[in-house]
Amino acid sequence: MIKSSAELPDCFYQNHPVLISPIVPTPNHSLYLSNLDDQKFLRFSIKYLYLFKKSVTSDILKYSLSKVLVDYYPLAGRLRTSSDDDQKLEVDCNGEGAVFAEAFMDITAEHFLELSKKPNRSWRKLLYKVEAQSFLDIPPLVVQVTNLRCGGMILCTAINHCLCDGIGSSQFLQAWAHVTTKPNLDLPFSPFHSRHVLKPRNPTQITFSHPGYIRNATNNFKDGEPMGLNHYLQSQPLVPASLTFTTSHILHLKRQCVPSLKCTTFETLASHTWRSWVRSLDLSPSLNVKLLFSVNVRKKLTPAMPQGYYGNGFVLGCAQTVVKDLVTNNLHHGVKLVQQAKSSLNDDHVRSMIDLLEDKTVKTDLSASLVISQWSKLGLEDLEFGEGKPLHMGPLTSDIYCLFLPVIGDVDAVTVLVSLPESVVGKFEYYMKDDFWDIEANGFHVEENGLI
């Protein structure tokens, strides 16, 4: 359970939130969203949290936001369904504006770091909740600046995932910071708005199998297990597990695969996390389990996607195997599956996937899947608004999806964050650390649990 001291105090709002519109008129039109953008799987906002030791005045941030929204004007628009197809989303680029809230919280930056090493439910106070009837009614960009007692600030942003992926959201935030700190200099490169580079072919040509997707939800559980794994996990109170892997931990994992297999940090850590997750859940040995992970395809297409493309330029790689093979084989087995899934994603394969998603009955197969999103190589931790880099960067909340997060001050370290039922977290952390008992002296870092 959460200790009461880990609960954040309430935010005090002196004024109502305001809408920040582009500082000059911007194009007024409908922006087509690609099949990668408007998947139902992505109908949520990416919520980032930044902690800064020293605050930047809200007037400066509001002014620079109004300037950068001239370049990124779709983020000042509103989502709507297409008049031609109510299953298809588009952006009404109407310049209505982003939500900007300003608050005060009676806490210091140091206190926040001490008490809240990872997300808990009370962190949600740090982002203004827009009252809306549906996801479509929430503005694509919501910002809250919370000033702290010590003179620091917490910046939270909610960026609609249908408009941006991780690379795109980082690109936007870096552009906002650039306009704030260098107001007289142009952006390093302009955003590329059009999504037609990812339009499906006519007629569609689905020339590959795509195991990360299904047309209808199926219960692939055996041995009398009552419901799909994802449904089981979502039906319980979830507790975040957070583990930081240093360079020495990652090298230790890689040594299990060499010399016969060269592998990246992501491939190694993704395989280890997937295997530990499956082991902790005590699943049927014959159950087929999947690892879904984001793969940037901006340079995999022919021709490569234009510089500045900030829409969803990733697809889900899918590694799959039965539980028995994943848990009884060594790490090498899972790494090879991840590598095979990555290497298959060439131009033809991605185009086939885009065509598949033209069928709106197709959806991401989450029935027995771990989903990993990598935030650790996006430059998110380098955001600089003029008063120093962040002391902390991470998500506002922990989710059932797994995040690989950057570690402030150590570019080669990775924090793994995922939420699981409370009865499972201890086993997951045990299996994640299982191979490291001989290097415990190097300081394996596991955060204390707290309900999200």
Side-chain angles (χ1 to χ4, degrees):
M1 297 296 289
I2 299 177
K3 294 180 180 180
S4 59
S5 60
E7 286 284 329
L8 296 180
D10 289 338
C11 280
F12 172 68
Y13 296 90
Q14 189 168 8
N15 300 303
H16 291 293
V18 295
L19 287 175
I20 305 296
S21 298
I23 197 167
V24 297
T26 51
N28 190 332
H29 64 94
S30 295
L31 177 67
Y32 165 83
L33 293 179
S34 78
N35 286 349
L36 297 185
D37 289 319
D38 75 351
Q39 300 176 72
K40 288 185 171 61
F41 173 66
L42 298 183
R43 295 191 180 184
F44 64 92
S45 294
I46 308 171
K47 298 180 176 71
Y48 296 131
L49 181 149
Y50 287 91
L51 173 69
F52 294 94
K53 188 172 185 178
K54 191 173 179 183
S55 63
V56 180
T57 67
S58 60
D59 285 345
I60 289 175
L61 291 172
K62 286 190 278 192
Y63 179 68
S64 61
L65 182 58
S66 71
K67 288 181 69 176
V68 79
L69 284 175
V70 174
D71 292 279
Y72 286 86
Y73 65 89
L75 286 172
R78 295 294 181 267
L79 272 182
R80 67 184 180 193
T81 55
S82 168
S83 57
D84 299 327
D85 180 0
D86 62 6
Q87 294 291 307
K88 187 78 184 161
L89 298 184
E90 62 185 22
V91 184
D92 178 12
C93 299
N94 56 19
E96 197 169 321
V99 175
F100 189 102
E102 187 178 5
F104 173 80
M105 182 175 279
D106 189 17
I107 193 173
T108 65
E110 290 74 17
H111 198 193
F112 181 85
L113 284 173
E114 286 172 18
L115 298 180
S116 301
K117 294 294 187 183
K118 58 185 176 179
N120 67 54
R121 203 174 287 274
S122 71
W123 283 30
R124 299 179 188 191
K125 300 172 183 179
L126 293 164
L127 183 66
Y128 180 78
K129 185 177 181 181
V130 177
E131 296 298 331
Q133 289 189 320
S134 75
F135 168 72
L136 291 182
D137 298 322
I138 300 173
L141 176 61
V142 179
V143 174
Q144 178 169 318
V145 174
T146 304
N147 294 298
L148 309 179
R149 187 173 74 227
C150 62
M153 75 173 184
I154 293 173
L155 172 68
C156 282
T157 60
I159 304 173
N160 191 299
H161 209 326
C162 294
L163 273 72
C164 299
D165 60 7
I167 290 172
S169 57
S170 178
Q171 178 182 310
F172 164 72
L173 291 172
Q174 293 291 353
W176 182 16
H178 178 94
V179 171
T180 308
T181 57
K182 301 168 184 172
N184 298 318
L185 295 181
D186 292 336
L187 294 179
F189 52 86
S190 298
F192 188 87
H193 301 295
S194 175
R195 315 295 166 97
H196 286 81
V197 65
L198 294 178
K199 259 204 148 177
R201 294 166 291 193
N202 188 10
T204 57
Q205 302 169 46
I206 303 164
T207 49
F208 293 85
S209 63
H210 299 286
Y213 296 94
I214 51 171
R215 278 199 167 78
N216 292 298
T218 55
N219 184 353
N220 58 357
F221 269 67
K222 299 178 181 178
D223 299 336
E225 294 183 71
M227 62 178 105
L229 173 58
N230 185 62
H231 186 273
Y232 160 74
L233 294 174
Q234 296 277 21
S235 68
Q236 302 196 48
L238 300 176
V239 173
S242 177
L243 301 99
T244 296
F245 286 77
T246 65
T247 305
S248 60
H249 293 127
I250 293 166
L251 285 174
H252 183 80
L253 287 173
K254 287 183 176 181
R255 287 192 193 104
Q256 298 180 39
C257 299
V258 294
S260 59
L261 187 66
K262 291 183 178 180
C263 44
T264 66
T265 293
F266 176 80
E267 292 162 356
T268 310
L269 196 51
S271 176
H272 179 61
T273 302
W274 182 31
R275 189 164 176 257
S276 300
W277 184 79
V278 167
R279 290 171 80 186
S280 69
L281 290 168
D282 292 329
L283 302 174
S284 166
S286 60
L287 176 68
N288 189 59
V289 287
K290 298 178 182 180
L291 174 68
L292 305 178
F293 55 96
S294 52
V295 178
N296 177 22
V297 297
R298 283 167 171 78
K299 295 181 180 178
K300 290 181 178 288
L301 300 181
T302 306
M305 293 164 69
Q307 184 184 37
Y309 189 91
Y310 64 96
N312 287 283
F314 79 96
V315 299
L316 290 175
C318 178
Q320 62 177 331
T321 186
V322 295
V323 168
K324 181 182 178 182
D325 289 347
L326 185 63
V327 301
T328 58
N329 285 300
N330 59 20
L331 189 64
H332 190 286
H333 175 72
V335 169
K336 283 181 69 176
L337 294 174
V338 172
Q339 291 181 337
Q340 289 164 6
K342 281 175 64 178
S343 64
S344 71
L345 294 173
N346 56 23
D347 180 87
D348 289 339
H349 200 118
V350 174
R351 297 287 178 190
S352 174
M353 192 178 295
I354 292 168
D355 288 357
L356 173 72
L357 292 170
E358 189 70 359
D359 179 353
K360 297 307 177 185
T361 66
V362 169
K363 63 181 184 178
T364 309
D365 183 9
L366 302 175
S367 58
S369 304
L370 176 65
V371 182
I372 296 179
S373 180
Q374 182 168 217
W375 291 14
S376 56
K377 299 298 179 184
L378 302 179
L380 287 162
E381 69 277 19
D382 295 327
L383 202 63
E384 162 72 89
F385 284 96
E387 296 293 351
K389 290 187 178 180
L391 303 174
H392 169 85
M393 182 278 147
L396 180 68
T397 57
S398 179
D399 205 337
I400 196 167
Y401 304 138
C402 179
L403 296 176
F404 284 5
L405 301 171
V407 177
I408 301 290
D410 189 344
V411 294
D412 295 317
V414 179
T415 292
V416 177
L417 176 68
V418 63
S419 285
L420 291 159
E422 194 167 11
S423 60
V424 173
V425 167
K427 286 193 287 184
F428 174 74
E429 291 177 345
Y430 173 84
Y431 289 126
M432 287 289 276
K433 296 188 295 176
D434 192 26
D435 293 315
F436 299 99
W437 299 117
D438 58 332
I439 55 170
E440 280 294 285
N442 290 335
F444 205 103
H445 189 48
V446 182
E447 303 293 1
E448 185 180 350
N449 291 327
L451 291 175
I452 62 167

